[in-house]
DNA sequence: TGCCCTACCCACCAAAAGGTAACTATTAGA
DNA sequence: TCTAATAGTTACCTTTTGGTGGGTAGGGCA
């Protein structure tokens, strides 16, 4: 396999938390362990396919852990790994900065809404 | 215009610094004002088109400022706005976390290289 | 028997993001 | 007159990302 090359640290970070869904998923898992259906309810805009696909990728990066309960109907829980917890501070700041950005744009007259300002 | 709706703060943040190039550009501008050609040299993988396109979008979001010098050949400088500076801490952490991530993956046996560990 | 539940997989399609290459303007200077 | 220099645009194409709608497993229960 050819050596993977990065030019600057942030490239690697963005490869892991970038894209439309990963940071949102991680922000939810930051507060609690959640099962698949709970995540789907917390992120109503995401499709089944994207949810599991993104969770798989986060699992492969050792950011989230997947716990399968052997029962029927199935029960699967996701949580941050210890390593994933090292992103917690960053995720919090990303949430807060975004909330402020939305306030700012609203103050500037933009039609804009933030449904959940639940970040602790 | 229909009201733009976000479900969680991080969505707004990612809309601004997400994508393949924006966070890289911002990490460079965090340390210094740079002209277009300097940015292009600092980010050799980026194309002309992407560089100006992403800079325009960052300008529209009031994150970077564009200073045009009236001379020939043209000279244009980019820098973070005061508001853009509010991202500086986050950008730094994204760089550092990525550097650690690369170290971690290298320690785990992955063929991986980081060319510039120049974040201050 | 037949249907429910949950998680998740697949095939297929649409849209967004990004890449390439060729072109512009303008003036100094050979 | 011709070229170099810088920043930028445009048309066209490829790749990546995301969405839809279908299907699976397998035990519980009416």
């Amino acid at each position: 396999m050819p050596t993977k090359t990065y030019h600057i640290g942030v490239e690697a970070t963005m490869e892991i938390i970038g894209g439309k869904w990963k940071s949102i998923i991680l922000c939810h898992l930051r507060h609690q362990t959640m099962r698949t259906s709970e995540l789907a309810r917390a992120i109503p805009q995401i499709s089944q396919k994207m949810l599991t696909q993104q969770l798989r990728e986060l699992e492969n990066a050792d950011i989230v852990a997947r716990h399968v309960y052997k029962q029927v109907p199935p029960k699967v829980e996701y949580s941050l790994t210890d390593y994933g917890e090292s992103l917690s501070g960053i995720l919090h700041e990303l949430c807060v900065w975004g909330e402020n950005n939305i306030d700012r744009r609203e103050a500037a007259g933009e039609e804009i809404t933030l449904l959940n300002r639940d970040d602790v």
Side-chain angles (χ1 to χ4, degrees), chain A:
Chain A
M1 182 176 33
T3 299
K4 177 120 202 183
T5 300
Y6 296 94
H7 293 253
I8 189 171
V10 71
E11 271 185 274
T13 308
M14 281 307 175
E15 220 172 80
I16 289 176
I17 68 165
K20 192 170 173 181
W21 302 115
K22 297 220 182 79
S23 57
I24 299 177
I25 293 172
L26 292 175
C27 278
H28 285 285
L29 291 181
R30 202 168 79 77
H31 300 117
Q32 59 199 293
T33 292
M34 294 174 84
R35 36 189 312 195
T36 314
S37 52
E38 290 179 308
L39 276 169
R41 240 174 292 118
I43 314 172
Q45 335 95 274
I46 203 174
S47 65
Q48 255 285 5
K49 171 187 151 187
M50 279 298 117
L51 181 56
T52 42
Q53 185 181 107
Q54 304 299 301
L55 284 167
R56 272 323 151 271
E57 291 176 20
L58 289 168
E59 207 191 335
N60 291 338
D62 192 24
I63 303 295
V64 313
R66 180 168 180 262
H67 309 268
V68 182
Y69 293 78
K70 290 199 212 65
Q71 54 181 57
V72 167
K75 173 176 174 181
V76 179
E77 282 187 343
Y78 294 94
S79 60
L80 292 190
T81 61
D82 285 349
Y83 182 55
E85 295 281 0
S86 70
L87 275 172
S88 193
I90 290 178
L91 292 167
H92 176 65
E93 290 179 65
L94 291 173
C95 269
V96 171
W97 194 91
E99 292 170 9
N100 291 337
N101 177 259
I102 291 168
D103 292 343
R104 190 171 190 267
R105 289 157 66 185
E106 192 175 18
E110 198 170 330
E111 287 278 358
I112 191 168
T113 316
L114 174 59
L115 297 184
N116 286 304
R117 197 180 288 267
D118 59 0
D119 204 85
V120 189

